[in-house]
Amino acid sequence: MQQGVKVCLLVISLIVIYSTGCLIFTRGFLLKRSVVNENSTCHADFSVQKDDHGDDGCWQHSRFKRAIIIVIDALKYEFMKYDPKLKSKSFFLNKLPFLNNVLNRKPKHSRLYRFIADPPTTTLQRIKGLTTGSLPTFVDAGANFASAEITEDNIIDQLITQDKKIKFLGDDTWMGLFPNRFSKAFPFPSFNVKDLHTVDNGILQHLMPEIRKRNWDIMIAHFLGVDHCGHRFGPNHPAMAEKLSQMDQMLSNVTREMKDDTVLFVLGDHGMTKTGDHGGDSDDELEAGLFVYSPSQLAATDYTPDVVNSVAQTDLVPTLALLLGVPIPFSNLGMVIKDLFTHCSWWKTSTSDIKQVYHSVKALRLNAHQINNYLKTYSTVSSDFPQDKWSRLQELLHHSETDLQSLLTSMVQEGETADILKRFRKLEDHYAQFMTDVREICQGIWAKFDVMSILIGILTMAVGLSINILILRCLTRDGSDSWTPVYVATTAGVVYLVYAIVQTIFLSDFVNPMMLFVLGGMLLLVLWILIKNSFCGATKVEGSQKSQNIEHSLNFDDIFGISICVLYFLVYFSNSFVVLEDSVTMFFSQTMIWMFGLKNIKYNMSIYLSQKSHKEIAARRSKSKLTINILSLVSHPVTLTLVFTLTCSVCLRLSVPFRACREEQWFCNNTIFMKPLANLAVDAVGYRNVRYFFSVAALSAFIISIRQWLKCYGNLNGYSPTVMCMRFAYPFAGVCCCLHWALQGLPVQVLDYLPWWQQVLLAQLVYVSLLLSILILVFKPLCVYKLPSARDPSIAIPYGGLDGPQIIPTVYKHLRDRLRAEADTDAKPPVVYGLGTVYSASLLQVVMVTGLLLSLLLGDGLAPSLLLALLTVYVFYEIYGASVFHHIETTDRHHLVPLSAIVTLGLLMSTFFFATGHQTTVPAIRFESAFTGFHGDFTYNVIPALLIALNTFASQVFFIVISPLLLFWPHLEGVVSQLMRHASKKDRVWRGDFVAYDDRTSFRKNIMRLVFGLLLFSAFKVLGAMAAAGLHRRHLMVWKIFAPRFVFEGAAMFVTFTAILLVYLFLVIVDRAVHKFAEGLNKEN
């Protein structure tokens, strides 16, 4: 008990050190910009009275009194642009014909722009950019589901300050960002990506009646159906065509109700990839669309369909502000859309090119001065802005102001000449250049990193890794004295950690962190001296325990595994290798598996050559020729080892179709396994049923294979709750899972017609059955069955019950056997089924539960990859068991798992992360998994976050759960393992994994070695991702490749650590149950 508590404290201490190091690094790497708490006002020194036409408006006269802003989430420019040459069938092109009709009929009243978003392309960050005009930072993407109130100056607050009444309809994210801002609101839940209609239908129910009331100044409607359709089915699906047609009709209805004093903005907050996802920075995700229309004239020139004009999404803020006559928000970095300021009805700009340009220059000037004021204030709260660039910008703005005054004087004196027009256009370019340069500089300074926090985070991770290595080294030595350095080192590590936290959070602005680096460096030096001594200490006692020390020291296998880990660590520093990491990890995994295969071949060849030499000597004595038996050659362990090692490699290769493609993998195309089953009715009708039944067969094979294994070893006898779960609960959960897949494959019209409880019932039945099974496993984890002895007063009833005529003979037989047993003086030992696999059977039950849960979350397309993972692990365990059998045979002790085997498991874990349809990119996250078995929004985000994490890191969870079998598998001596080795000549009693109970000291060491080995592998990967991101923080691809890789690896580390802790606790529960069961057997004897 005391030893278990110490191990738990060590594990928790290491996890805390690793987690804190990762968080400190994150604090320095993913910085948020400084927020300036200033608001623009109508009284600005750069706005003069002559810029106004009457009393309406601040800074500049208001062109419009009302505005309708319609946000159609994920509305791409491609969806809005009409292509008259389109001949092929498409479900998303030319589905908004109303926009094209307006552009053609009223070219001076309408405009269409390519609306470029700033990454990350998540809805919350886009709303912030669309209302504040500021630039997001990468870390903001993590807050996409936690919408905090916007306190920075924004267009909503500016409109309210000018007594504008705002009505809102749609995505309830706005309510979290702007609480109590709207005069009337109709919010609808937004997170359920499977719901295509609730939000849109709710808006349509209220939109037109509210517009007709005219008791509003600003009307905002945020539709979500297009975005949800993309997430659920992708853009090329009939549901997308229906949704876009619905939006087209809505826009037609809205424009009919508009008056001349109203302007309409129809925009997408981001685009979507070919699979319907978003969140990254690919062109498909960044290119949204913007349509602007008013019944009154909007621009001085006609719209030109052949010319594609691009504007930034931040440009909407100053444009909307000046058109409505309100101040531009203080922190805005957007630039007014010049095209919309060339017309002025008061000035009759349609008759003069100079007046058109001058009116545009006035808007640009106001915009430039607003940005200049922001920069002045920002420089007082942050010293980030470089002085040389600041001086150059001030000079450019000063020259522009001087040129403007000179031009106005010349225009009064000389009139409207061609030279003045040319100078005005040049001045227009200068103001635009000023704002473009400011935006680029701000993008650079807001990517400024806290190098000290980055280094402290990396140093903290290095300290944790060193302590972890020291623990693993001490596990190879006997005696309690070997643990003294571990306890001292862990205590020192915790002290260092406290100092690092205090320095980073409280003292970073006042105290130089040099002392922390000195302390960390000294601690690392001491730790590596202790690690070196652990190697030396292991060789000093060779006199009496030579074989044991050789076994526990680093051998070729461990050195080879460490070398592969180092290569994997270096992979993180190359962007091309990170892009192709799915192939790299598979190569590393195959390399390690072949190492174990070749090791077994080497051992079998040595035995074969030894036997062959004896046969040759015997043949010479008898003067007979050696014969070659083909059957013997084919069934030889060496041949079979090659076959099974190749089989393992083939299983890995078969996982390739289940990979998702990155944007950078231009040569890659997603297979049918990556598409929702309902989509195949459109894209590949012939494959729809084939894929579904293939997935059903794969899940059935997963369940049957584990059941047959348990049945073969006698673990399915009796009527214990655990056995009943394996017989009935898991097949029932599997059937419900398959039926749920079939339900999700129905056409969207049919599925959405069903009541919500029918849509989630089957998945919830899976959850309930698996939850009950887990509870049973916690309290009754053993799958063993003890045959009733003759002295047992109870009557054993066979499986299936008794018929009436059999009752009396059965009772008579029982009484007769009992009387004979009482007369027999030699009592026989009890017979127990499944005792040789008592540990493995319990673990396989957890594997079954985990596999069923992950299959449900991954969906029918990716669930077969779990069967491949199970087959790969099974064959690898058999190869590993054959390669170490000679050691088990000679020592007859619980085998200490080598570091190389743990490395192989870790590499397989990484390989199947990609083989379960995931990539280290934001668009690859399957948010729809949050609603597997649930409908509507959640009060708290714990459940959806858990489901998304289980889906994303399914491989990590599955391999952590199956990893403890590595401790027991060599002792099971499976059929495949026996085929890959020569028959044992020793007369041994097979005890299976019950040997762990007989050798509890080695067993506990083995558990600790596995736990700390998995912790080390996961943390080593995180350190590689941290070091690469920190080193390449100025790399062109840092936010596209290195930063997401670090974020995913950090998240995977937390999931892995949690799974390791839970599996370790379950092993402790099983061990106690085995101990209690064995004591009961001893008492009976």
Side-chain angles (χ1 to χ4, degrees):
M1 180 69 180
Q2 187 178 5
Q3 184 70 19
V5 172
K6 289 180 179 179
V7 172
C8 277
L9 290 176
L10 281 177
V11 173
I12 293 173
S13 300
L14 262 183
I15 290 176
V16 170
I17 292 173
Y18 286 143
S19 303
T20 306
C22 187
L23 293 175
I24 291 175
F25 177 89
T26 302
R27 186 176 184 272
F29 185 73
L30 304 178
L31 285 179
K32 294 183 178 180
R33 60 182 176 85
S34 301
V35 175
V36 178
N37 294 317
E38 295 284 345
N39 295 333
S40 298
T41 63
C42 280
H43 305 288
D45 55 3
F46 50 81
S47 176
V48 293
Q49 188 63 33
K50 65 181 179 181
D51 288 331
D52 300 330
H53 294 280
D55 297 329
D56 293 338
C58 290
W59 297 8
Q60 184 168 289
H61 62 276
S62 60
R63 290 267 306 280
F64 301 98
K65 292 183 178 180
R66 289 185 173 92
I68 300 175
I69 303 171
I70 296 179
V71 182
I72 302 178
D73 213 288
L75 184 66
K76 294 181 67 175
Y77 175 77
E78 187 181 17
F79 296 173
M80 304 175 76
K81 181 71 174 177
Y82 189 83
D83 184 6
K85 299 179 181 178
L86 180 67
K87 295 181 180 180
S88 60
K89 183 180 179 181
S90 174
F91 293 107
F92 58 87
L93 297 177
N94 292 356
K95 298 303 176 183
L96 296 171
F98 174 75
L99 300 183
N100 183 64
N101 293 336
V102 173
L103 290 168
N104 290 331
R105 287 188 293 106
K106 297 184 177 182
K108 284 188 173 66
H109 297 247
S110 55
R111 285 291 186 271
L112 179 62
Y113 301 97
R114 180 181 282 127
F115 205 36
I116 306 300
D118 295 297
T121 49
T122 48
T123 297
L124 178 68
Q125 285 63 50
R126 293 297 81 243
I127 295 176
K128 288 181 178 180
L130 290 169
T131 54
T132 64
S134 60
L135 301 176
T137 55
F138 184 86
V139 73
D140 287 341
N144 193 43
F145 308 110
S147 51
E149 180 180 357
I150 293 179
T151 57
E152 198 171 13
D153 194 13
N154 58 83
I155 189 65
I156 301 296
D157 288 338
Q158 286 294 341
L159 290 167
I160 293 174
T161 302
Q162 301 304 316
D163 297 326
K164 302 287 187 181
K165 292 184 179 179
I166 307 175
K167 288 187 178 182
F168 173 78
L169 308 92
D171 186 350
D172 62 353
T173 304
W174 290 75
M175 307 306 294
L177 296 174
F178 303 103
N180 305 318
R181 304 295 214 287
F182 306 118
S183 61
K184 195 172 185 179
F186 300 90
F188 299 93
S190 60
F191 189 49
N192 189 353
V193 296
K194 290 189 175 183
D195 186 355
L196 308 186
H197 308 297
T198 298
V199 177
D200 291 3
N201 291 345
I203 296 174
L204 294 175
Q205 180 183 353
H206 300 284
L207 180 60
M208 299 312 299
E210 293 299 324
I211 289 178
R212 296 187 184 106
K213 289 179 181 179
R214 297 290 170 182
N215 58 349
W216 53 271
D217 297 296
I218 311 296
M219 182 74 69
I220 302 174
H222 191 151
F223 292 86
L224 292 174
V226 172
D227 178 65
H228 288 185
C229 185
H231 282 296
R232 187 172 176 184
F233 302 109
N236 198 28
H237 190 275
M240 182 63 78
E242 295 176 7
K243 186 54 63 177
L244 290 174
S245 298
Q246 184 186 40
M247 295 297 100
D248 188 68
Q249 183 62 44
M250 177 270 299
L251 293 174
S252 176
N253 295 336
V254 168
T255 55
R256 280 200 295 266
E257 299 295 331
M258 291 176 62
K259 305 298 183 182
D260 288 346
D261 63 349
T262 308
V263 61
L264 169 68
F265 290 87
V266 180
L267 56 103
D269 57 342
H270 52 74
M272 66 172 65
T273 63
K274 293 178 181 179
T275 58
D277 301 310
H278 60 90
D281 60 353
S282 66
D283 290 342
D284 284 336
E285 296 163 276
L286 297 180
E287 291 182 0
L290 171 64
F291 173 77
V292 188
Y293 166 76
S294 176
S296 59
Q297 186 173 342
L298 192 63
T301 58
D302 290 344
Y303 169 73
T304 307
D306 297 333
V307 178
V308 178
N309 293 317
S310 297
V311 297
Q313 287 196 353
T314 51
D315 297 346
L316 176 68
V317 173
T319 302
L320 186 61
L322 293 185
L323 288 177
L324 295 175
V326 301
I328 301 174
F330 191 84
S331 302
N332 164 72
L333 288 178
M335 180 172 60
V336 293
I337 302 174
K338 296 180 290 184
D339 199 22
L340 300 181
F341 290 90
T342 57
H343 173 70
C344 178
S345 58
W346 292 277
W347 236 32
K348 297 181 180 179
T349 52
S350 58
T351 61
S352 172
D353 290 342
I354 291 180
K355 289 181 179 180
Q356 293 175 17
V357 180
Y358 175 57
H359 204 266
S360 174
V361 167
K362 286 200 303 178
L364 288 169
R365 176 183 173 274
L366 294 172
N367 196 178
H369 278 284
Q370 168 265 314
I371 291 178
N372 190 54
N373 278 355
Y374 169 68
L375 292 183
K376 289 179 180 178
T377 307
Y378 185 83
S379 62
T380 62
V381 298
S382 176
S383 59
D384 295 338
F385 212 90
Q387 288 299 318
D388 57 335
K389 294 182 179 180
W390 168 262
S391 300
R392 183 175 59 82
L393 289 172
Q394 291 300 305
E395 183 179 355
L396 177 60
L397 184 60
H398 176 72
H399 284 320
S400 299
E401 288 291 293
T402 304
D403 292 344
L404 177 60
Q405 296 301 322
S406 174
L407 270 172
L408 291 175
T409 304
S410 300
M411 190 168 62
V412 172
Q413 295 175 352
E414 303 174 12
E416 298 182 8
T417 64
D419 181 63
I420 289 179
L421 177 61
K422 182 178 180 181
R423 291 169 64 187
F424 262 119
R425 294 197 184 279
K426 187 175 181 181
L427 181 61
E428 184 182 42
D429 293 338
H430 285 170
Y431 280 119
Q433 185 64 46
F434 170 82
M435 288 181 278
T436 301
D437 290 348
V438 169
R439 178 186 173 92
E440 291 177 354
I441 294 172
C442 288
Q443 284 177 326
I445 64 175
W446 288 338
K448 185 177 180 180
F449 305 93
D450 184 356
V451 178
M452 289 303 172
S453 294
I454 290 175
L455 293 176
I456 292 172
I458 292 175
L459 180 62
T460 304
M461 288 292 293
V463 169
L465 283 168
S466 301
I467 296 174
N468 201 334
I469 294 171
L470 179 63
I471 293 173
L472 286 173
R473 285 304 309 155
C474 291
L475 284 171
T476 62
R477 302 170 62 185
D478 295 327
S480 58
D481 295 340
S482 62
W483 285 98
T484 303
V486 171
Y487 299 139
V488 173
T490 306
T491 304
V494 172
V495 172
Y496 161 81
L497 183 65
V498 173
Y499 186 12
I501 294 173
V502 172
Q503 171 66 43
T504 304
I505 298 177
F506 303 106
L507 304 178
S508 58
D509 297 331
F510 313 104
V511 179
N512 192 298
M514 188 55 64
M515 285 300 299
L516 179 64
F517 290 121
V518 171
L519 176 62
M522 292 178 61
L523 181 57
L524 281 177
L525 180 63
V526 172
L527 286 171
W528 281 97
I529 290 174
L530 293 174
I531 293 170
K532 181 178 179 299
N533 290 340
S534 69
F535 283 96
C536 298
T539 56
K540 287 181 180 178
V541 291
E542 284 185 358
S544 59
Q545 296 179 346
K546 182 176 180 181
S547 61
Q548 181 181 355
N549 286 314
I550 291 175
E551 174 196 353
H552 292 166
S553 61
L554 285 180
N555 51 27
F556 172 79
D557 299 352
D558 291 340
I559 294 174
F560 189 83
I562 292 172
S563 301
I564 294 294
C565 282
V566 172
L567 289 175
Y568 196 4
F569 180 89
L570 296 176
V571 160
Y572 287 103
F573 291 84
S574 169
N575 60 315
S576 57
F577 273 89
V578 173
V579 169
L580 298 174
E581 189 180 355
D582 45 11
S583 299
V584 173
T585 53
M586 186 174 70
F587 171 76
F588 285 155
S589 300
Q590 289 178 326
T591 302
M592 290 300 300
I593 291 170
W594 275 96
M595 186 209 72
F596 281 101
L598 293 175
K599 177 183 176 181
N600 188 49
I601 289 172
K602 178 184 176 183
Y603 179 74
N604 283 315
M605 283 299 297
S606 64
I607 296 178
Y608 171 74
L609 293 175
S610 175
Q611 293 176 348
K612 183 179 179 182
S613 61
H614 290 301
K615 290 180 180 179
E616 287 178 348
I617 294 172
R620 288 174 184 171
R621 290 177 179 175
S622 61
K623 296 182 180 181
S624 62
K625 294 183 179 180
L626 288 171
T627 59
I628 298 177
N629 190 336
I630 299 298
L631 181 61
S632 176
L633 182 62
V634 172
S635 61
H636 194 275
V638 172
T639 307
L640 293 176
T641 301
L642 285 172
V643 170
F644 286 113
T645 307
L646 183 62
T647 301
C648 201
S649 296
V650 170
C651 288
L652 286 172
R653 291 295 301 176
L654 289 176
S655 68
V656 172
F658 300 99
R659 294 180 188 169
C661 296
R662 290 180 64 118
E663 177 199 355
E664 299 86 355
Q665 295 175 343
W666 53 268
F667 51 85
C668 178
N669 291 309
N670 285 326
T671 65
I672 61 171
F673 296 105
M674 297 301 302
K675 299 178 181 179
L677 188 63
N679 277 21
L680 295 185
V682 177
D683 298 336
V685 178
Y687 295 105
R688 187 168 181 263
N689 292 335
V690 174
R691 196 191 85 173
Y692 173 72
F693 287 111
F694 173 75
S695 300
V696 170
L699 184 60
S700 303
F702 185 92
I703 298 172
I704 293 172
S705 60
I706 296 179
R707 282 193 58 177
Q708 286 300 113
W709 190 94
L710 293 173
K711 183 178 180 181
C712 177
Y713 281 96
N715 295 104
L716 291 185
N717 290 288
Y719 301 94
S720 68
T722 311
V723 174
M724 291 296 102
C725 284
M726 182 57 71
R727 284 180 180 170
F728 303 109
Y730 303 143
F732 172 75
V735 170
C736 290
C737 183
C738 294
L739 292 176
H740 175 76
W741 292 343
L743 191 67
Q744 297 304 307
L746 293 175
V748 61
Q749 298 89 346
V750 178
L751 182 60
D752 290 342
Y753 181 76
L754 297 175
W756 69 267
W757 65 269
Q758 294 182 11
Q759 298 181 34
V760 302
L761 176 63
L762 292 168
Q764 289 185 351
L765 287 175
V766 176
Y767 290 143
V768 171
S769 59
L770 296 183
L771 180 61
L772 290 176
S773 301
I774 284 292
L775 293 176
I776 291 172
L777 280 173
V778 170
F779 293 101
K780 296 285 184 180
L782 302 187
C783 295
V784 292
Y785 176 67
K786 184 177 75 69
L787 281 179
S789 63
R791 292 171 289 181
D792 194 338
S794 61
I795 301 177
I797 300 176
Y799 182 74
L802 295 173
D803 296 332
Q806 294 178 335
I807 295 177
I808 295 177
T810 302
V811 173
Y812 172 76
K813 183 176 181 298
H814 174 74
L815 293 175
R816 183 189 62 187
D817 293 340
R818 184 176 176 184
L819 291 172
R820 289 179 179 177
E822 290 176 353
D824 190 5
T825 56
D826 297 328
K828 297 180 180 179
V831 177
V832 181
Y833 286 102
L835 192 60
T837 52
V838 60
Y839 290 96
S840 304
S842 299
L843 290 169
L844 278 173
Q845 293 253 16
V846 181
V847 171
M848 177 75 85
V849 172
T850 306
L852 287 170
L853 176 61
L854 296 180
S855 295
L856 177 66
L857 295 176
L858 289 173
D860 68 291
L862 298 171
S865 64
L866 289 179
L867 176 63
L868 284 175
L870 182 68
L871 291 175
T872 304
V873 172
Y874 170 74
V875 179
F876 164 64
Y877 279 178
E878 291 291 322
I879 296 170
Y880 165 70
S883 66
V884 300
F885 176 76
H886 66 280
H887 170 79
I888 297 174
E889 186 181 28
T890 54
T891 61
D892 203 28
R893 296 181 58 186
H894 191 66
H895 178 62
L896 193 64
V897 61
L899 187 62
S900 54
I902 300 175
V903 169
T904 306
L905 268 184
L907 291 171
L908 288 173
M909 184 193 310
S910 299
T911 301
F912 277 93
F913 167 79
F914 301 102
T916 50
H918 300 101
Q919 285 285 352
T920 54
T921 58
V922 177
I925 300 175
R926 304 296 173 190
F927 292 105
E928 62 271 17
S929 60
F931 298 94
T932 304
F934 297 93
H935 190 274
D937 275 55
F938 299 88
T939 306
Y940 303 100
N941 289 332
V942 176
I943 292 178
L946 177 62
L947 295 179
I948 292 173
L950 286 173
N951 177 284
T952 305
F953 303 108
S955 173
Q956 281 80 357
V957 174
F958 183 80
F959 278 89
I960 291 299
V961 168
I962 208 170
S963 62
L965 289 172
L966 189 67
L967 309 178
F968 310 107
W969 209 265
H971 300 278
L972 302 181
E973 301 178 25
V975 176
V976 175
S977 177
Q978 293 179 27
L979 292 174
M980 289 187 289
R981 57 179 172 79
H982 288 276
S984 174
K985 295 182 178 180
K986 294 181 63 176
D987 187 14
R988 299 172 56 253
V989 176
W990 182 82
R991 293 181 294 166
D993 60 23
F994 194 71
V995 69
Y997 174 78
D998 296 333
D999 190 6
R1000 298 180 66 83
T1001 302
S1002 298
F1003 175 56
R1004 289 169 181 168
K1005 279 190 175 184
N1006 232 0
I1007 295 177
M1008 293 172 64
R1009 187 174 175 86
L1010 178 67
V1011 167
F1012 287 108
L1014 291 172
L1015 288 175
L1016 179 63
F1017 183 83
S1018 180
F1020 194 64
K1021 288 175 61 182
V1022 174
L1023 179 61
M1026 289 169 59
L1031 180 66
H1032 294 307
R1033 61 187 181 277
R1034 296 296 179 187
H1035 193 280
L1036 179 65
M1037 307 297 287
V1038 60
W1039 301 115
K1040 195 176 187 69
I1041 292 178
F1042 296 109
R1045 189 67 194 87
F1046 158 68
V1047 171
F1048 271 82
E1049 202 59 66
M1053 180 186 72
F1054 286 108
V1055 173
T1056 301
F1057 288 175
T1058 304
I1060 289 173
L1061 269 178
L1062 294 177
V1063 170
Y1064 171 74
L1065 292 176
F1066 182 73
L1067 272 175
V1068 172
I1069 292 173
V1070 173
D1071 187 48
R1072 288 182 179 177
V1074 172
H1075 183 72
K1076 183 178 179 181
F1077 181 80
E1079 285 184 343
L1081 290 179
N1082 292 332
K1083 288 180 181 179
E1084 289 184 7
N1085 292 332

